[in-house]
Amino acid sequence: MRVSPNNFTFTFLFKSCQSCDDFDTGRELHTHVVKFGFGANVFVQNTVLDFYSKCSENVGSAFKVFEEMDERDVVSWNSMVCAYINHGEMRLSIELFKSMEERNAVSWNLVISGLAKRGEMESARLLFDEMITWNAVMKNARLGLDNEVAWNAMISGYTRNGDVENARLIFNQMPVKSVVSTTAMISGYAKVGDVVEMNNLFNSMPVKNVITWNAMIAGFVQNHKFDQALEVFHRMLMCGECKPDETTLLSVLSACTHLGAHEQGKWIQSYIQKRDIEISTPLGNALIDMFAKCGDLESAMSIFNQMSKKCIITCTSMVAGLAFNGQCKEALALFDEMCMERIQPDDVIFIAALSACTHGGLVEEGKRVFTMKKEGIEKVPGSSSIQVENKVHEFLVRDTKHENRMEIFETLDSLYDQLKTIGIMEKRDYVHLGMPKFAGWKEIFCLISKQLLHTAEAKKFVTKKTAYGKHQSRMLIKSLEDKFTEDVGTSRSMTDVCLSSSTFSTRCSAKE
């Protein structure tokens, strides 16, 4: 028995694709929507539109669906507004919003929240005031007053910008002050260092959730009021309404670390164990840092060995802890072990390792670590690539594997000599296999295409090269256009040149 899909079938399938970020399957599913005759179903089309707005790399796909819809409702318009916002097109989203004949709370929430998140508070405030006026005219005044999302978006937007005065004005105008809005104000006061007002607001709250407690504890930690942070944590435990989560414990461990409160830290470790809380990487890092700075290396190493997933911060905390407590050789041994496990070190762990050498008087080891820092470990090699037909030829620094490498290097040396005569290149040094390094960047590989193609009549290829320096790149492209046209016989058209501070791409087409 064959069962045909209905509109709910496609809704669930698109939601599944959206949750998995599976754009290709969703696009294929769109063809079945048309095939089964749901192309004019506004319910299904809204789901398709929502999918494209959140999963597509550009807004074009969503707009095409919106434009082709025979029937649109307020959900359709909201989805398209959301698509513009998701892709950073705030101007277009506002233009579309203002052209809507019917708006609901979601419509206002989308544009006000979008502007507030981008820090465009003047525009957000104008729309916010317009929302209240609009709803009063439409005899739906309660929508403007009770639309908590818009109010909270305004408060959060102002506090992110450090403007607690305007945030407080909005907060004071709220008909009903929710836990979310009060917590946002607490975070705002913490950000500007006003712990007195932060504390007053917190104490005035009849109901608090775990996020409120976390905001309060983190606020005291941010403002170096570590004793008060621990006091709030104790109040949280005594209250019993909310259980501490990982965010709570991270803030409390930070306070213990700064105070050197070893006993408090041990209690928190015991609390984690008794409640079977999984030691995540951030939580493990915080415990290691706290124990190491309190001088309890045994507990720090125990946590380090228990952790199933370690990151560079984990290793840095342990290396720095060992060095801080005088176990310099052990710190260097751990650093070397980390390097052997191919964890890429960063500047911070190099400083920790050098600190271990300093405290331990390990001069030779210090020289070795400094050399590793200077030369870099497993540095990602620079590369150049050229696509000919359907085959991509890639060249890495120290590459010796390409079958045409000797011909290519000879061509490059010849090219260097020719470009040097016209003042484009200044030869600084040679890298491996005689490949010249030109003023900090290598040449564009379209000039070696004839070596790959074995013909002067190149068809079509794309080159992409990591480079630095816009001005030099443009000079080189101009010179190569002239030279390449002469030597290989291309049409003089290096188009689609895209230059930035780090990369440029050149698409070249040649006549047959």
Side-chain angles (χ1 to χ4, degrees), residues 93-258:
S93 71
I94 293 172
E95 287 178 2
L96 187 64
F97 169 78
K98 289 185 175 180
S99 68
M100 293 174 65
E101 294 182 2
E102 179 187 359
R103 301 171 187 170
N104 59 13
V106 176
S107 313
W108 291 101
N109 292 342
L110 284 170
V111 288
I112 292 172
S113 298
L115 288 167
K117 287 177 182 177
R118 290 167 63 93
E120 299 178 25
M121 295 310 300
E122 289 185 13
S123 299
R125 183 59 184 267
L126 288 172
L127 273 178
F128 179 78
D129 293 339
E130 186 183 332
M131 176 189 72
I132 296 176
T133 304
W134 171 278
N135 287 292
V137 171
M138 299 296 291
K139 297 182 180 180
N140 192 14
R142 295 308 305 173
L143 178 65
L145 294 174
D146 295 340
N147 189 0
E148 186 184 330
V149 175
W151 290 84
N152 290 338
M154 291 298 297
I155 293 171
S156 298
Y158 279 127
T159 56
R160 270 195 298 270
N161 289 348
D163 186 357
V164 291
E165 291 184 9
N166 274 312
R168 189 59 187 258
L169 286 174
I170 296 291
F171 179 76
N172 289 340
Q173 293 171 19
M174 289 188 75
V176 179
K177 296 169 179 60
S178 67
V179 175
V180 176
S181 55
T182 311
T183 303
M185 281 305 309
I186 289 173
S187 298
Y189 281 121
K191 186 174 182 178
V192 298
D194 192 346
V195 293
V196 174
E197 199 58 46
M198 177 183 80
N199 203 33
N200 290 338
L201 261 182
F202 180 77
N203 291 330
S204 69
M205 294 179 68
V207 179
K208 306 174 181 72
N209 60 20
V210 67
I211 299 173
T212 311
W213 289 98
N214 289 346
M216 196 66 185
I217 295 169
F220 278 127
V221 171
Q222 290 167 19
N223 289 281
H224 307 286
K225 307 289 184 182
F226 306 115
D227 285 320
Q228 289 170 267
L230 293 181
E231 287 176 13
V232 174
F233 177 61
H234 292 151
R235 285 171 59 188
M236 181 182 185
L237 295 174
M238 293 292 292
C239 178
E241 292 181 0
C242 302
K243 293 182 180 179
D245 59 11
E246 182 176 307
T247 304
T248 319
L249 298 175
L250 287 172
S251 293
V252 174
L253 283 170
S254 178
C256 293
T257 303
H258 285 89

Side-chain angles (χ1 to χ4, degrees), residues 69 193 485:
M69 290 178 70
T485 301

Side-chain angles (χ1 to χ4, degrees), residues 476-489:
L476 181 58
I477 288 172
K478 177 67 173 65
S479 299
L480 294 184
E481 281 183 335
D482 298 333
K483 184 62 185 171
F484 199 56
T485 301
E486 175 186 334
D487 285 358
V488 184

